[in-house]
Amino acid sequence: MKVAVVGATGLVGSEILTVLAERNFPVTELVPVASEKSKGKEIEFKGKKYKVVTPAEAIALKPQVALFSAGGSTSTEFAPLYAEAGITVVDNSSAWRMDPTKKLVVPEVNGDVLSADDKIIANPNCSTIQMVVVLKPLHEKYKIKRVVVSTYQSVTGTGVKAVTQLMDERAGKDGEKAYPYPIDLNVIPHIDVFQDNGYTKEEMKMIKETNKIMGDDSIRVTATTVRIPVMGGHSESVNIEFETDFDLDEVRQLLAAQEGVIVVDDPANLKYPMPKDAHGKDEVLVGRIRRDESQDNTLNLWVVADNLRKGAATNAVQIAELLNKKGLI
């Protein structure tokens, strides 16, 4: 299969290449795509070298699938052109997520919605992906009424500039800034731009995307998203109110049986998920599983995943794998 990776030189694009290789996706020819300034640069994939082309040039090369991770403006401009040329696009930006004509997909949660007509498929926000994988089996069993989530998000979610800022500050050096404040030895309760309602765009993404992926607008969600000085791995404190009561042992069994989830929940031996444990992994880790004693039918969880892997690159590749398995590409 001829596969294009649009944004191949970026953080997520590089991770997509790694995941494609690790998971042995049937790539017969790679088309690495980046901006004009990276044109001609060589990318190595599975021992072979490929020259970077521009988004427009890649269309003429007719890949069967294009994994986009080059920002919303690139996706808005080029994804429809790729789709018109018969290329299936899996887009990692926020450009198409809430478009009612486009599917927003986490394969373990709602992969069954994909069809041959889907030529632009949206990859959800990183913090939403790891949460809904955990919510799915619990919603099926107990029906979720409300979710309260607070995130603790890695600087890698912002990009290379943010990683550089953190390392510069740690080394006591001046440099380019990705954030309006220092991030080392600090916490910034602000991800993406503020909206008129006082929430950030990231918080509103989590709210709206959860409803769309779960296929249930009755689930009420509220979110606070926070940037912390961590490299590689988003963490979330998730409080879930159900319509019916639950048994904690059964909750652990349901989560352990859910595809893509690993339960790490042994407080007696200080075992719980941490970003450093999720780094480089494709699974979502869940622990600190306990009853909320302040109200009925309510559960507390701690959910951790590598935001560049399951939160972005792995989920995009898994969508392509599912399309291939179903014979849709």
Side-chain angles (χ1 to χ4, degrees):
M1 190 179 299
K2 191 184 279 192
V3 178
V5 176
V6 183
T9 56
L11 265 184
V12 176
S14 302
E15 202 66 43
I16 286 173
L17 295 173
T18 301
V19 174
L20 285 168
E22 283 180 4
R23 296 175 73 91
N24 285 315
F25 191 80
V27 180
T28 49
E29 186 182 340
L30 179 73
V31 182
V33 184
S35 63
E36 192 73 44
K37 68 179 181 188
S38 295
K39 182 181 173 178
K41 185 178 172 184
E42 285 194 330
I43 296 263
E44 191 168 318
F45 178 75
K46 283 193 158 184
K48 286 179 75 176
K49 289 186 175 170
Y50 298 90
K51 277 196 164 56
V52 170
V53 298
T54 65
E57 289 169 338
I59 298 172
L61 297 173
K62 287 280 198 290
Q64 281 120 300
V65 65
L67 306 177
F68 270 63
S69 191
S73 57
T74 301
S75 296
T76 303
E77 182 181 355
F78 286 102
L81 301 177
Y82 279 62
E84 281 166 25
I87 304 161
T88 301
V89 171
V90 180
D91 180 49
N92 199 52
S93 80
S94 60
W96 306 100
R97 289 176 188 158
M98 295 315 298
D99 184 323
T101 67
K102 305 292 183 286
K103 307 285 174 58
L104 184 64
V105 176
V106 179
E108 304 94 324
V109 179
N110 66 336
D112 58 324
V113 301
L114 290 170
S115 72
D117 296 330
D118 297 315
K119 283 299 176 192
I120 299 176
I121 300 153
N123 205 32
N125 187 42
C126 47
S127 46
T128 307
I129 290 173
Q130 68 186 69
M131 184 171 75
V132 296
V133 172
V134 169
L135 294 183
K136 182 184 190 283
L138 303 179
H139 185 51
E140 286 177 348
K141 181 71 181 178
Y142 310 116
K143 191 148 181 24
I144 296 170
K145 287 173 68 176
R146 184 170 186 255
V147 177
V148 182
V149 56
S150 298
T151 72
Y152 307 73
Q153 295 180 223
S154 158
V155 293
T156 55
T158 307
V160 174
K161 199 163 136 184
V163 173
T164 304
Q165 178 180 338
L166 173 60
M167 298 321 287
D168 281 349
E169 288 171 0
R170 194 149 287 188
K173 292 189 332 198
D174 273 336
E176 200 179 8
K177 302 278 191 278
Y179 304 120
Y181 300 102
I183 184 63
D184 192 31
L185 299 177
N186 195 24
V187 163
I188 303 174
H190 166 198
I191 298 178
D192 214 324
V193 297
F194 279 99
Q195 309 290 285
D196 290 342
N197 63 357
Y199 285 76
T200 65
K201 199 171 174 185
E202 181 86 354
E203 289 157 355
M204 295 311 297
K205 283 179 198 170
M206 289 196 77
I207 293 164
K208 292 174 180 173
E209 290 180 23
T210 297
N211 290 139
K212 184 171 178 177
I213 298 162
M214 301 290 287
D216 191 340
D217 286 340
S218 75
I219 300 171
R220 292 173 296 153
V221 183
T222 189
T224 303
T225 58
V226 180
R227 191 71 68 191
I228 63 169
V230 162
M231 293 259 266
H234 289 352
S235 304
E236 298 173 351
S237 171
V238 187
N239 178 272
I240 313 162
E241 182 186 358
F242 300 107
E243 286 197 354
T244 59
D245 201 9
F246 55 85
D247 175 77
L248 279 175
D249 287 335
E250 186 179 47
V251 166
R252 290 186 185 95
Q253 288 164 14
L254 288 167
L255 292 170
Q258 168 65 16
E259 183 189 352
V261 169
I262 296 174
V263 175
V264 184
D265 188 50
D266 183 8
N269 291 299
L270 308 185
K271 303 280 189 194
Y272 33 71
M274 292 180 286
K276 71 177 190 63
D277 303 322
H279 191 67
K281 287 193 173 69
D282 290 331
E283 296 83 7
V284 176
L285 311 182
V286 59
R288 298 297 319 277
I289 301 167
R290 63 207 189 277
R291 192 174 285 277
D292 178 345
E293 296 183 346
S294 71
Q295 70 171 10
D296 293 340
N297 306 344
T298 305
L299 181 72
N300 280 311
L301 302 173
W302 178 250
V303 179
V304 179
D306 186 323
N307 53 294
L308 295 183
R309 300 278 298 202
K310 183 54 183 171
T314 300
N315 200 72
V317 173
Q318 285 174 322
I319 291 171
E321 287 173 342
L322 189 56
L323 290 167
N324 189 36
K325 185 180 171 186
K326 288 182 158 195
L328 302 176
I329 50 174

